[in-house]
């Protein structure tokens, strides 16, 4: 089965998708996620979308091999530009946070009508949460994923009004800080050590101090979070 080709990252993202939604997978690549969503009976219809024709052709072939051509439609699309109006959920995965934000900024009207939006990124998670907070949307779920020694964060949110998130919530995640996930604690410890090294290098090299305040603030947040979790 094609779904067996899905890695840990895609499997975990699929678990976040609400049952019964008509999802658009933006940047589908080989369409492994749409295939998984259909085979696991999460969705009855999925749009597999990509900006490049090469990956979309590979997606078509995988969909055909899985016998799901009638339930997964491939669409050449820049973000949500060509996604049919009946799509009520979207998944933007497998890219950096700034690329994901660019897609959302060009589809703000569509995002506001969705039942669920899932953003999975490998960097700039703070910026993604900041965008969600600025739009006063509600984060419903978050997961940290370590797959093949790479770090990813998946955020599920809805266009329901929410008060702005705090700096701590933007950095750590309003849902992740409540979870007891040892792997996420290890990730936070790694981030703390990374900031400490950057600050030490800035001091040693007498480099530009302009980013110090932000780094010191983030370091304090990580330290307090790890200290509190240790005492639980």
């Amino acid at each position: 089965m094609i779904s067996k080709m899905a890695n840990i990252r895609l499997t975990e993202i699929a678990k976040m998708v609400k049952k019964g939604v008509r999802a658009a997978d933006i940047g589908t690549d080989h369409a492994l996620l749409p295939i998984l969503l259909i085979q696991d009976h999460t969705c009855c219809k999925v749009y597999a979308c990509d900006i490049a024709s090469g990956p979309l052709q590979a997606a078509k072939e995988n969909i055909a091999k899985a016998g799901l051509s009638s339930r997964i439609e491939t669409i050449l699309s820049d973000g949500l530009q060509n996604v049919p109006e009946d799509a009520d959920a979207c998944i933007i995965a497998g890219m950096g946070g700034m690329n994901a934000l660019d897609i959302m900024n060009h589809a703000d009207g569509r995002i506001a009508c969705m039942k669920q939006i899932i953003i999975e990124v490998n960097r700039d998670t703070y910026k993604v949460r900041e965008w969600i907070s600025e739009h006063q949307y509600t984060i419903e779920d978050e997961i940290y994923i370590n797959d093949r020694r790479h770090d990813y964060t998946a955020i599920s949110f809805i266009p329901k009004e929410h008060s702005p998130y705090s700096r701590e919530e933007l950095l750590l995640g309003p849902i992740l800080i409540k979870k007891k996930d040892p792997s996420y604690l290890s990730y936070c410890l790694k981030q703390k050590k990374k900031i400490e090294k950057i600050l030490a290098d800035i001091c040693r090299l007498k480099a530009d101090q302009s980013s110090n305040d932000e780094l010191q603030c983030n370091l304090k947040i990580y330290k307090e979070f790890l200290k509190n979790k240790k005492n639980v």
Side-chain angles (χ1 to χ4, degrees), residues 1-14 30-37 39-40 62 147-148:
M1 292 174 64
I2 297 292
S3 64
K4 297 299 182 183
M5 296 168 60
N7 55 31
I8 294 171
R9 181 178 65 87
L10 294 178
T11 301
E12 290 301 313
I13 294 170
H30 289 68
L32 298 183
L33 180 57
I35 291 169
L36 186 60
L37 290 173
Q39 290 182 338
D40 286 354
N62 280 336
D147 186 11
R148 291 172 291 188

Side-chain angles (χ1 to χ4, degrees), residues 162-202:
H162 192 286
S163 56
Y165 291 100
S166 67
R167 185 181 181 90
E168 180 188 26
E169 290 172 321
L170 294 177
L171 183 65
L172 299 174
I175 306 300
L176 280 170
I177 56 178
K178 299 174 184 177
K179 293 183 176 180
K180 296 179 180 179
D181 181 358
S183 63
Y184 184 60
L185 294 180
S186 296
Y187 168 77
C188 289
L189 179 60
K190 183 168 65 175
Q191 295 303 110
K192 179 183 84 74
K193 291 179 178 179
K194 186 183 293 185
I195 294 174
E196 288 172 336
K197 184 180 185 305
I198 293 171
L199 288 170
D201 288 344
I202 289 174

Side-chain angles (χ1 to χ4, degrees), residues 38-49:
I38 295 296
Q39 290 182 338
D40 286 354
H41 307 290
T42 301
C43 302
C44 61
K45 176 76 175 183
V46 181
Y47 296 108
C49 313

